[in-house]
Amino acid sequence: MPQLPKYLTGNSAAIDEFLDKFDVFLLDCDGVLWSGDHLFEGIVETLELLRSKGKRIVFVTNNSTKSRPDYQKKLTAMGIPSNVEEIFASAYSSAIYISRILKLPAPKNKVFVIGESGIESELRTEGVPFIGGTDPALRRDITPEDFAGLADGSLLDLDVGVVLAGLDFHINYLKLSMGFQYIRRGAKFLATNLDSTLPVNHTFFPGAGSITIPLINMSGQNPVALGKPSQAMMDAIEGKFQLDRARTCMVGDRLNTDIQFGVEGKLGGTLAVLTGVSKKEHWEAEDAVAVPAFYVDKLSDLRDATK
Amino acid sequence: MPQLPKYLTGNSAAIDEFLDKFDVFLLDCDGVLWSGDHLFEGIVETLELLRSKGKRIVFVTNNSTKSRPDYQKKLTAMGIPSNVEEIFASAYSSAIYISRILKLPAPKNKVFVIGESGIESELRTEGVPFIGGTDPALRRDITPEDFAGLADGSLLDLDVGVVLAGLDFHINYLKLSMGFQYIRRGAKFLATNLDSTLPVNHTFFPGAGSITIPLINMSGQNPVALGKPSQAMMDAIEGKFQLDRARTCMVGDRLNTDIQFGVEGKLGGTLAVLTGVSKKEHWEAEDAVAVPAFYVDKLSDLRDATK
């Protein structure tokens, strides 16, 4: 059993020691900085403190509905200063995985998107052709003609080589049917992330993983997931920011995404906050999926640093 | 490893012997009698042959979109004589499970339905109150007000004690969100059946199991499933038809629904047909989920009976 995490809240000496260990902080957002539309108290000051100590901050989010510029708008609206280059979201990591790692040869490199506009923007930025997504033509009931045309292939775009599924507030039977047909016909199956739920208003709604799971269930295939805890995302972050993993700390509220992401990525440390999904009991359990190295009640507890 | 099935096609003596063993035939429909809208050749004559020998026929289907009267219309349209009492569909078995086995005390006995009108008709027949289903008010995008109202409970009906999920061609984010909130608040979780796919036009579309699986993924709970291979359905069939399991044969095309249903139900026999999903290789595989006792290329091969 791994060692239990060190509790930093209220312990200034321990906080000083903790901060000294790291140059880069990868910050999960929802559940760490805010919950839904509610910014936690003291967050702006805490981020200022980190920056004032010369720490690099990267906002790492599985949110796939937003592009990086969209996400920056959200940070700004929340009152959090940031720049686009500090943001790493799963729509972006999916787009760069497709354009720079998969590199399918044209013309069979089109992506069928199940998801929102953030995915589309990032694919567009990377020059990846796509269909589906927010196309209003797919926001409707399935018809007998669809059943026939999907079965005989006449309604399918033969250039589709990838199905990319993420959080889609407009998911429907037609899109699931199309995605499945493309996968059956050999398209590579990717998911922005596999979070089962999306925290909103202090409760949970279907997450990207719950939009993707019908395709997994039908096809018997598991997608390559590009969000936390997938190490494909960590590799992309490392490549982009040229960070030293030993001097990097992942901060998050979910053991099975954030903390696992940092542990499997062999980062120098992981910090859990108790303002989101996971609770102390979760990492104290025998079958804990991952155990953080440190924890605080809330991120702003780091303001007790003395140096 | 169980014995491999006996092949009956073209073997009149074996067919005679097979038919003598059983009084009741439970017939799966799609993949056995027809595929999509295409009735297989010789089916009507084969059913006539069985009836002429005094065999009882029960049409057992996981199709949850149709009530029994709807399903009888489909049989009639296909040219297959039947009566409503011979039909056992998963919407019906779900309704009788709720009304006769669960028997939740009013007022907290309302069912939130994810599914089509067949489920609603059968619930109505059994006098079970329900919401959701084909309600046009739920066939729309989720709004910020929905997120808020589902989170604070103001949009939820506190009398809902059951969530019943089945095949829903109008599945959307709002319905999945509502179903999940009811399950989180303690509603019993049922599914008409868990077929991952629906065969249509010689290919596959999302089945009831793929509509239900986001709720399983979000809640971490498995529903009580009321279709094949769930033995809840077998018990209901036995109760209704007072059949002798030893003299009953399940006929179907899917090992993991039909044949498993018959084997686990300890029926006298199971007959696989090769006109649907499962192939000979499937039961010859080491890890076959179930092995039939008999098989034919197609159901109409039974017409080679000599007696």
Side-chain angles (χ1 to χ4, degrees), chain A:
Chain A
M1 192 171 155
Q3 218 182 332
L4 285 176
K6 188 173 176 104
Y7 183 48
L8 303 181
T9 295
N11 185 341
S12 296
I15 292 171
D16 289 344
E17 200 184 320
F18 166 79
L19 292 174
D20 282 346
K21 282 181 194 292
F22 305 106
D23 301 322
V24 182
F25 288 87
L26 307 182
L27 299 178
D28 176 47
C29 302
D30 211 338
V32 175
L33 309 180
W34 63 70
S35 174
D37 286 329
H38 170 68
L39 179 69
F40 296 136
E41 188 262 318
I43 288 298
V44 173
E45 296 79 358
T46 309
L47 298 183
E48 264 168 28
L49 175 82
L50 292 173
R51 290 190 205 275
S52 74
K53 291 177 180 295
K55 310 298 183 188
R56 173 146 211 181
I57 288 172
V58 183
F59 300 96
V60 179
T61 171
N62 275 359
N63 184 322
S64 69
T65 63
K66 291 183 165 59
S67 66
R68 287 166 303 148
D70 292 339
Y71 210 76
Q72 201 210 351
K73 276 183 210 142
K74 171 154 185 162
L75 287 162
T76 305
M78 285 290 195
I80 299 175
S82 67
N83 74 65
V84 168
E85 293 303 317
E86 288 176 326
I87 295 165
F88 213 92
S90 67
Y92 176 60
S93 72
S94 301
I96 63 176
Y97 180 84
I98 292 169
S99 66
R100 304 184 197 179
I101 295 174
L102 269 188
K103 289 194 269 194
L104 295 180
K108 223 180 140 45
N109 61 343
K110 211 176 267 185
V111 179
F112 178 74
V113 175
I114 294 183
E116 299 289 342
S117 64
I119 297 175
E120 296 177 324
S121 307
E122 297 290 9
L123 289 174
R124 214 175 276 124
T125 304
E126 289 291 312
V128 176
F130 64 87
I131 58 169
T134 62
D135 184 350
L138 300 187
R139 293 188 175 171
R140 60 175 176 80
D141 291 345
I142 195 166
T143 65
E145 293 70 37
D146 293 322
F147 279 110
L150 292 176
D152 69 18
S154 61
L155 282 182
L156 296 172
D157 184 330
L158 298 179
D159 290 341
V160 167
V162 178
V163 169
L164 171 59
L167 183 55
D168 189 337
F169 296 117
H170 306 81
I171 189 63
N172 61 29
Y173 194 89
L174 177 62
K175 293 188 196 182
L176 289 173
S177 299
M178 295 183 77
F180 178 49
Q181 288 300 328
Y182 286 121
I183 293 169
R184 269 172 67 84
R185 287 163 177 257
K188 299 208 180 292
F189 181 19
L190 310 181
T192 58
N193 63 298
L194 292 175
D195 296 23
S196 61
T197 56
L198 175 76
V200 183
N201 294 5
H202 306 285
T203 184
F204 298 98
F205 286 82
S210 295
I211 301 299
T212 307
I213 202 166
L215 297 173
I216 299 172
N217 192 47
M218 285 185 268
S219 68
Q221 286 185 41
N222 280 308
V224 174
L226 281 313
K228 297 171 286 182
S230 163
Q231 292 303 311
M233 194 183 213
M234 186 66 85
D235 294 343
I237 292 173
E238 182 183 42
K240 178 170 168 134
F241 298 101
Q242 300 295 319
L243 50 80
D244 174 0
R245 292 196 189 208
R247 299 277 305 163
T248 300
C249 181
M250 176 70 210
V251 182
D253 68 309
R254 285 201 184 199
L255 297 188
N256 65 350
T257 49
D258 306 314
I259 304 304
Q260 189 181 342
F261 181 63
V263 169
E264 291 183 354
K266 300 195 176 15
L267 299 188
T270 51
L271 173 68
V273 299
L274 294 178
T275 45
V277 171
S278 295
K279 304 291 164 211
K280 224 176 133 190
E281 308 87 81
H282 295 149
W283 63 67
E284 287 173 350
E286 271 297 313
D287 58 349
V289 58
V291 178
F294 304 92
Y295 79 104
V296 284
D297 291 345
K298 52 189 192 300
L299 189 64
S300 58
D301 291 345
L302 294 180
R303 287 182 298 169
D304 285 340
T306 58
K307 293 199 288 190

Side-chain angles (χ1 to χ4, degrees), chain B residues 18 40 61 72 80 103 124 192 220 228-229:
Chain B
F18 165 79
F40 296 136
T61 172
Q72 201 210 352
I80 298 175
K103 288 195 271 196
R124 215 174 276 125
T192 58
K228 298 171 285 181

